[in-house]
Amino acid sequence: MYSHILIPVLLNGRTDVKHAKSVAETLLAKGGKITVLHVVETIPPYLERHLTPAIHVETQTWAKKKLAEVAAEMGVNDTVLLDGPPGRNIVNWAQENSADCIVIDSHQPAFSDLFLGSVAAWVVRHATTSVHVLR
């Protein structure tokens, strides 16, 4: 049983949050906690110069609102919103905040995943904690 489980979510509706929460609750020790995390991916520099600072603020505001909605749907109070590379941020946050298990959804890989690797695959390869991948 785990005392602190991290559930990274996509805010585009592709994460089965109810299934992730159910699995996390099964794995969670009595008195443990669940944290829901979303990472706003870094915009490549060649695109960033075409965007205004207002777009970044608008994206952050939307992500905070949507993350709160997803957490409420799951019945989870602890949420984290980060910027940067998703896989690296998930693993680093789990290590820095003593999460002892990551429950992450695995989507059907896109063509680009064949070259870059999916976030779930990156987390599995680099996490120092247990990782439970949902299919």
Side-chain angles (χ1 to χ4, degrees):
M1 302 304 261
Y2 300 100
S3 61
H4 185 190
I5 297 178
L6 177 63
I7 303 176
V9 295
L10 289 173
L11 297 179
N12 63 4
R14 289 178 58 190
T15 302
D16 185 353
V17 294
K18 291 179 182 175
H19 184 224
K21 170 86 183 301
S22 174
V23 169
E25 286 176 332
T26 301
L27 299 171
L28 193 63
K30 186 174 181 167
K33 77 174 188 172
I34 296 172
T35 301
V36 178
L37 176 142
H38 175 72
V39 181
V40 177
E41 207 161 346
T42 305
I43 297 170
Y46 61 87
L47 291 177
E48 189 173 29
R49 65 188 178 103
H50 298 289
L51 303 176
T52 66
I55 291 174
H56 181 71
V57 171
E58 184 179 317
T59 300
Q60 289 293 321
T61 302
W62 175 86
K64 286 177 188 174
K65 180 181 177 222
K66 188 69 175 172
L67 183 59
E69 290 172 6
V70 168
E73 179 183 342
M74 295 173 75
V76 174
N77 295 325
D78 294 321
T79 61
V80 177
L81 183 64
L82 302 173
D83 284 320
R88 180 172 289 121
N89 274 305
I90 292 166
V91 169
N92 289 345
W93 193 92
Q95 290 172 340
E96 293 166 4
N97 293 276
S98 302
D100 50 357
C101 183
I102 301 169
V103 174
I104 189 166
D105 196 31
S106 176
H107 64 279
Q108 293 298 320
F111 183 72
S112 63
D113 291 337
L114 298 175
F115 299 105
L116 302 175
S118 70
V119 172
W122 201 96
V123 170
V124 167
R125 287 192 309 269
H126 294 89
T128 58
T129 63
S130 297
V131 179
H132 188 96
V133 179
L134 305 177
R135 296 296 273 169

